[in-house]
Amino acid sequence: MKDSMLEKLNPAQREAVATNSGPLLVLAGAGTGKTRVVTFRIARLISKGIKPPRILAVTFTNKAAGEMQERIGELIGKRDEDDVPEISTFHSLCVRILRRQIDKLGYPKTFTIYDSSDQDSVARRVLREVSVPTSSLQPRELLFHISQWKSKGIGPQKASSHAVTDKEHLAAACFRRYQGVLKTSAAVDFDDLLLLTEQLFASHQDARTAEAARFDHILVDEYQDTNATQYRIIKSLASAHRNLCVVGDDDQSIYGWRGAEVEHILRFRDDWKEAKVVRLEENYRSTDAILSLANRLIRYNKVRHDKTLRAARPGGEKPKIRQFPTEADEAKQVVADISRRIQDTHAEPNDFAILFRTNEQTRAFETELRSQDIPYVLIGGMSFFDRKEVRDMLAYFRLVVTPEDEPALMRVLNTPPRGIGDKAREALLHEAVKNSCPAWNVLPKVRQLPDFSSKAADSAVQFLELIKRYQAAFKKGSLVDTANQFIREIGYEQEIKRTNPDDVDAQESRWGAVQELVNALGEYEGKRKRPSMQKFLDSIALAGREMERDKDKQLKRNAVVLMTLHAAKGLEFPEVYMVGMEEGILPHHRSVNDGDNVDEERRLCYVGITRAQERLTLSFPLTRRKWGKARDTKPSRFLFELTGQADNPHAGPPAHHLKTAAGKKKTVSTGQSKAGHKKKTTAGSSKPAKKLVSKKLAKFPKKSSSKKRT
DNA sequence: GCACTGACCGTTTTT
DNA sequence: CGGTCAGTGC
């Protein structure tokens, strides 16, 4: 990269990019060119003579990592696989460290990574073993507490001293056992990846220095979402050279529920006293009309760095607020609107994003998009890797790599059925617990267990032989060929046919998924220099739902994007639809009821609004079906805040204004005009604004917005 | 040991 | 409404 490229940046951005060494804090609002600064900075360091592998950039999602990699590639030209900066998520970074060092903590190097369903099965087992009825502590709750502790760096030994409620004490007691099961199963969960890395650094100075010495420069994106463990890992890695650049925005902190603490970004200079601070406050992404809504909304948050983003793009189309009778109508009209825009304007499907608070909301929109033949991508949600047949195959693969993996063993021990039933399975587990060894180690001895019939024992031994044979085979031959042979020998295709006797569609779809998985393995194998099943499984565990196969990529390149607000962080779209803007959804009722998390919901809303570049539509249905029954909804409080209608709830916006606005224009427009209306009619009503507005809005359901602007 | 049936219950967000 | 799980019959 040439220094002349710095001219493309504004002074603040240039300052951030051109700082060569020492700690640097970039406080960057939404759309101020954060990612650009990070990528330019990396490119510049390389041009100043830093070897690319000496640079570590940490991102929050795999998607962000991939995009950054691509942009840096554009800036510095394509390089050899071994001569690029390490750009990864916290979790991938920790996996790499642990694959090198975990034996120091007494784990085998072939550990597996458990996903939430594996965790769930461990939790259930633990609760049963200590005979805790699920009425006093549910597996979910246990996992929730464990995860909370782990994200604060609290291990099983320390947990009980942090427990307050009865459930927490119970959970703390189970925590030790849970961790024990994981260890004997040679497994780590997502939180362990971070926690164990931190523990490794704390207890093994040599490992810490060795890992820290790999890098000269560290950059962390989305720093506001860093939790205590992540913070300490970064501190360990950067403390020697102190070339640490963190970039973030406290207004976009939306992972508090996962242990993220905004304090880390607010108190950066406590630990890095000489840190330079650069603020980016000029927003290039959104029009002024959109940005002023966002600014108005976020001011309702009490605790924040006070800052106001300036819009570099004046004017713009006024954002719309729309309401519909039901959520089905909402989906229909939003999709119709998109379809119309694609036909009438130059807009392409990938100019649009539909953003949700919860994954469950996507269904209606998917159906609608499919029936309108508009291509779409659903980010997150139920993925290919959640399908039963895919999970089955992956369990077989996992077992080959890590036979101690108990959930994998339990999953496939009798899939397809080979006569090993509940009784035998219980006996196997019981024996494993008794000897505190992996269930796998019991398999050779099942003939001695009275609860194993000779038939079950025969099957178990045969199963053992099968896995052992393929352990050897996968080490020698090509992954794909071996996998195909493995699957044939398992007899999975016949099993699919047997369990779906009259449903050819289901048979094809299931078997197709198995073949897709093998294809993915093939693509992986073709791309890597040193492919291994273990690394393939790692990438699925870490990237999982975002892992796209090349074929999908082509297909979905130009598609409407459906995703949650959380998943939308860091992205931008010309046209954004935020749907389900109602109380109970955004803010989510769990955030309102269990604690004071409305501020985080407000930030979530803020993140959504600031994704939009040109055009923003907020909508909600007047009723929502839940468990088969339709229930009335209330518009989200954020709608009142961002339109300025919540400032004085007792004066409230006048009825006649809303009537005209909603009736004539068939849309409640937002923006500057509001102030005028509001002023001249404050005398109108003594009712709280919310009630009034919601009532008035309710009178004009299902009217599509007109083109009229204010 | 295995498949089918009805009662129950109710998901925030993610690596 | 739709997925999960315990209980029942073969």
Side-chain angles (χ1 to χ4, degrees), chain A residues 193-464:
Chain A
L193 291 172
L194 305 174
L195 190 65
L196 292 177
T197 304
E198 191 203 335
Q199 285 173 359
L200 174 81
F201 286 170
S203 60
H204 292 77
Q205 194 63 46
D206 53 327
R208 186 186 130 165
T209 14
E211 293 301 328
R214 301 171 69 88
F215 308 108
D216 295 326
H217 283 268
I218 298 178
L219 300 94
V220 185
D221 197 8
E222 307 286 8
Y223 191 69
Q224 76 280 357
D225 289 320
T226 312
N227 69 28
T229 314
Q230 291 166 329
Y231 171 70
R232 285 193 280 261
I233 290 170
I234 286 300
K235 197 172 161 187
S236 294
L237 289 176
S239 59
H241 50 70
R242 299 183 79 79
N243 294 325
L244 172 65
C245 164
V246 304
V247 184
D249 176 7
D250 54 310
D251 286 334
Q252 292 186 67
S253 162
I254 53 176
Y255 283 94
W257 51 276
R258 220 170 78 176
E261 289 165 21
V262 205
E263 285 71 38
H264 291 136
I265 195 162
L266 301 181
R267 287 205 239 112
F268 185 73
R269 290 179 95 172
D270 291 358
D271 279 313
W272 311 88
K273 294 197 168 50
E274 74 277 31
K276 189 171 201 169
V277 181
V278 175
R279 285 166 191 277
L280 304 180
E281 292 180 306
E282 191 161 7
N283 177 300
Y284 296 95
R285 178 185 295 152
S286 313
T287 62
D288 185 39
I290 292 167
L291 200 62
S292 56
L293 279 199
N295 279 333
R296 205 175 311 159
L297 175 73
I298 202 63
R299 275 204 296 270
Y300 283 86
N301 272 7
K302 293 281 165 327
V303 186
R304 61 183 287 262
H305 262 309
D306 197 30
K307 61 175 175 296
T308 300
L309 284 184
R310 294 183 302 273
R313 309 174 55 194
E317 185 177 328
K318 209 126 282 167
K320 292 182 193 61
I321 298 177
R322 300 176 64 187
Q323 53 176 340
F324 306 98
T326 67
E327 75 267 34
D329 295 301
E330 185 184 34
K332 209 173 207 154
Q333 295 300 318
V334 165
V335 171
D337 200 45
I338 291 174
S339 161
R340 209 177 315 123
R341 301 228 6 122
I342 292 174
Q343 274 163 30
D344 299 352
T345 71
H346 294 297
E348 297 278 328
N350 63 359
D351 290 332
F352 298 88
I354 305 176
L355 305 182
F356 311 86
R357 171 70 239 265
T358 66
N359 282 310
E360 172 226 41
Q361 291 171 259
T362 56
R363 286 169 193 264
F365 289 83
E366 270 195 277
T367 329
E368 200 51 41
L369 285 160
R370 222 170 315 167
S371 80
Q372 296 292 315
D373 255 332
I374 299 175
Y376 70 91
V377 238
L378 178 64
I379 312 283
M382 161 105 169
S383 93
F384 173 75
F385 296 99
D386 292 331
R387 299 181 59 147
K388 182 190 180 299
E389 49 281 359
V390 174
R391 293 197 71 94
D392 285 348
M393 288 303 104
L394 286 174
Y396 273 105
F397 295 161
R398 277 165 55 172
L399 219 45
V400 165
V401 176
T402 317
E404 298 92 339
D405 187 339
E406 197 179 285
L409 175 65
M410 288 307 147
R411 182 169 190 103
V412 294
L413 183 61
N414 202 32
T415 315
R418 36 173 84 85
I420 306 172
D422 287 348
K423 208 172 156 195
R425 177 197 303 239
E426 284 307 308
L428 183 70
L429 277 177
H430 184 257
E431 192 64 17
V433 174
K434 207 173 82 186
N435 302 319
S436 56
C437 71
W440 172 258
N441 293 7
V442 182
L443 275 185
K445 305 182 283 192
V446 285
R447 286 188 205 284
Q448 297 153 28
L449 298 177
D451 282 336
F452 261 81
S453 65
S454 65
K455 184 172 158 273
D458 285 347
S459 301
V461 172
Q462 247 176 35
F463 176 82
L464 175 75

Side-chain angles (χ1 to χ4, degrees), chain A residues 1 6 9 11-20 24 26 36-42 44-45 278:
Chain A
M1 192 186 93
L6 291 177
L9 305 169
Q13 292 174 330
R14 203 176 308 154
E15 191 185 356
V17 169
T19 304
N20 286 326
L24 171 68
V26 181
R36 201 179 160 138
V37 163
V38 175
T39 49
F40 270 55
R41 202 176 133 80
I42 292 171
R44 185 161 189 278
L45 288 171
V278 175

Side-chain angles (χ1 to χ4, degrees), chain A residues 81 519-531 547-551 553:
Chain A
E81 192 182 316
N519 289 343
L521 180 64
E523 269 160 35
Y524 160 81
E525 192 172 23
K527 261 190 284 204
R528 293 300 192 91
K529 277 189 190 163
R530 287 266 311 126
M547 207 169 86
E548 291 175 48
R549 289 168 316 292
D550 292 349
K551 214 170 78 192
K553 241 183 197 163

